[in-house]
Amino acid sequence: MNLERVALVSFHACPLAALGEGKAGGMNLHVRQLARSLGNLGVEVDIFTREHPEPHGIAQEISEKARVIHLPAGDLDKPLEELYDSLPEFQSRVLAYQGVNRLEYQAVHSHYWLSGWAGQRLASTWRVPHIITFHTLALVKMNSRAGETEPVQRQETERELMQAVTRIVAYSPHERNAMARLYGADPKKVVLIPCGVDLDTFRPLDRENARKEIGLDDAKSLLFVGRIEPLKGLELLIRATSELGGGAKVRLLVVGGVLDGDPELDRMRRLAGELGIEGSVDFVGRVDHEELPLYYNAADVCVVPSFYESFGLAALESMACGTPVVATRVGGLSTIVEHGRSGYLKPWRCPDAFAGSLEVILSSRRLQQSMGRSARRRAEGMSWDAVAAQVAEVYESNFPTGPR
Ligand code: UDP
């Protein structure tokens, strides 16, 4: 392979952040795992991110070949909504760091529109290809749920980047179509590469042990894993749980979020109370990523009721653990879950429809087990190393041909 060193730009999403709290989730993990797996291919990877309040050194290794470089850009605790103004400072810090350390990158890969703004300028200064993964898109989010708002600046920057970048990595045909339809992107520029899963960490374990470890009694259990925000659709799952019939005791474990002082989590608690199921819903809060396999293994079904997911890592992690998934048929989820084999995809975001599918799986241990086996088989083809090999191919096939 001719690929020696690449720069990943992840301006606001530090790959070392604790996942499942605030804004930190799939994107942070994606950058971390992609960098590690590119490193396994022998590529040196520098991830540029902005300095943030958690203490980290300037350059911190995350594997033998990959490191995170924290650079100051704006006040440490500036909220995401106000970070746009700090991009020029970030860009010049990256240039200074690269210059002082005489680093030569062969490609820039940006994650999210803010990083794309800086990445586009860095790639053009260094005269190397610029690849972008948007992770989410303003117009897709806004079309998915009434009440979602995004700054006009974001839409404009996304539109400009779709024209300017060398290649766009999208997770699913749905995302590629949305880029073409809503932003006028050239579909030929878009490469489809899904996310991956760490198959050693997320694997089937002894179910009874897992249940004991997390203190579950003999009740059937549903699992939700994700940041607590309206787009994730937790409200629907709480309503669906309240509609489950059959008299069986069912617990809903909600993993993610901050237990104290989060208005959205408080709203979910109140909803469970109003529906009379507060005793059956456990708000667990954020769980360390490495501990999550216990939860996926202990659960009977993992539910992903999002209004939209560009990918949906929680679904894939559950499948890798051999636990079926019931999810909304949106975005990347429809490319991960095989309807009727590894779980069910619901075209209607309606509690009845979810409750119906959950009852089917909860009522048959055999169905649950066979779906779990199919789910694991499906996940086995989706490792991060496989993802990195495809991404590296995109970098290499877009190297400039002329002299630099
Ligand atoms: N996650 C975690 N601990 C938590 C909650 C979530 O490690 O308490 C991780 C989860 O395992 C997954 C990621 O956060 O890898 C969420 O990714 P997903 O694609 O499901 O949602 P996103 O955050 O990208 O919207």
Side-chain angles (χ1 to χ4, degrees), residues 87-367:
L87 284 167
E89 182 188 354
F90 180 71
Q91 180 206 339
S92 36
R93 299 267 187 191
V94 177
L95 281 177
Y97 189 91
Q98 173 264 335
V100 168
N101 293 285
R102 298 171 184 230
L103 297 163
E104 214 170 291
Y105 298 107
Q106 292 162 301
V108 175
H109 186 171
S110 303
H111 295 264
Y112 199 62
W113 72 280
L114 288 166
S115 306
W117 187 99
Q120 184 60 30
R121 285 152 182 85
L122 293 166
S124 101
T125 308
W126 296 334
R127 291 194 279 160
V128 296
H130 182 210
I131 288 87
I132 189 162
T133 304
F134 283 101
H135 293 267
T136 57
L137 290 165
L139 292 176
V140 174
K141 272 181 90 173
M142 286 159 66
N143 286 345
S144 307
R145 194 187 78 89
E148 289 292 323
T149 55
E150 289 294 333
V152 176
Q153 215 167 36
R154 174 172 179 184
Q155 301 165 35
E156 283 169 358
T157 308
E158 286 175 343
R159 195 180 298 279
E160 283 162 19
L161 284 168
M162 294 208 195
Q163 300 304 319
V165 298
T166 320
R167 291 299 213 136
I168 302 167
V169 176
Y171 296 137
S172 67
H174 175 273
E175 202 184 354
R176 178 175 55 194
N177 294 344
M179 287 170 181
R181 190 167 40 87
L182 302 172
Y183 290 91
D186 174 2
K188 290 201 280 299
K189 213 185 230 194
V190 183
V191 198
L192 293 183
I193 305 179
C195 278
V197 61
D198 178 341
L199 292 165
D200 297 327
T201 306
F202 292 92
R203 65 193 160 92
L205 303 170
D206 183 87
R207 182 163 176 268
E208 291 315 313
N209 260 351
R211 292 173 71 88
K212 243 188 248 147
E213 290 263 350
I214 65 167
L216 259 187
D217 54 20
D218 57 357
K220 304 261 182 201
S221 56
L222 308 175
L223 175 67
F224 170 95
V225 174
R227 293 172 296 111
I228 308 297
E229 60 172 40
L231 199 68
K232 292 280 174 189
L234 178 59
E235 173 170 347
L236 180 145
L237 174 53
I238 293 176
R239 290 188 186 281
T241 306
S242 78
E243 288 184 18
L244 287 174
K249 226 168 98 190
V250 176
R251 299 206 75 76
L252 167 60
L253 301 181
V254 178
V255 168
V258 183
L259 292 181
D260 291 318
D262 175 1
E264 182 61 12
L265 198 138
D266 289 344
R267 191 173 76 85
M268 294 299 106
R269 274 202 184 105
R270 276 198 306 278
L271 177 67
E274 281 158 25
L275 296 168
I277 57 164
E278 66 272 43
S280 310
V281 185
D282 295 339
F283 290 93
V284 181
R286 200 190 78 72
V287 169
D288 278 348
H289 194 61
E290 289 64 31
E291 295 282 307
L292 275 179
L294 285 178
Y295 285 81
Y296 289 121
N297 272 282
D300 291 286
V301 191
C302 176
V303 192
V304 189
S306 311
F307 284 83
Y308 185 72
E309 284 294 341
S310 54
F311 188 72
L313 279 171
L316 182 57
E317 289 162 1
S318 174
M319 287 166 63
C321 291
T323 299
V325 175
V326 174
T328 337
R329 190 190 285 278
V330 292
L333 289 169
S334 38
T335 62
I336 311 172
V337 181
E338 311 128 299
H339 180 68
R341 281 176 66 86
S342 44
Y344 293 115
L345 287 166
K346 308 307 300 173
W348 298 288
R349 293 196 72 275
C350 138
D352 275 8
F354 272 72
S357 290
L358 291 173
E359 274 172 16
V360 170
I361 302 179
L362 291 178
S363 62
S364 163
R365 181 82 187 115
R366 260 177 78 184
L367 176 67

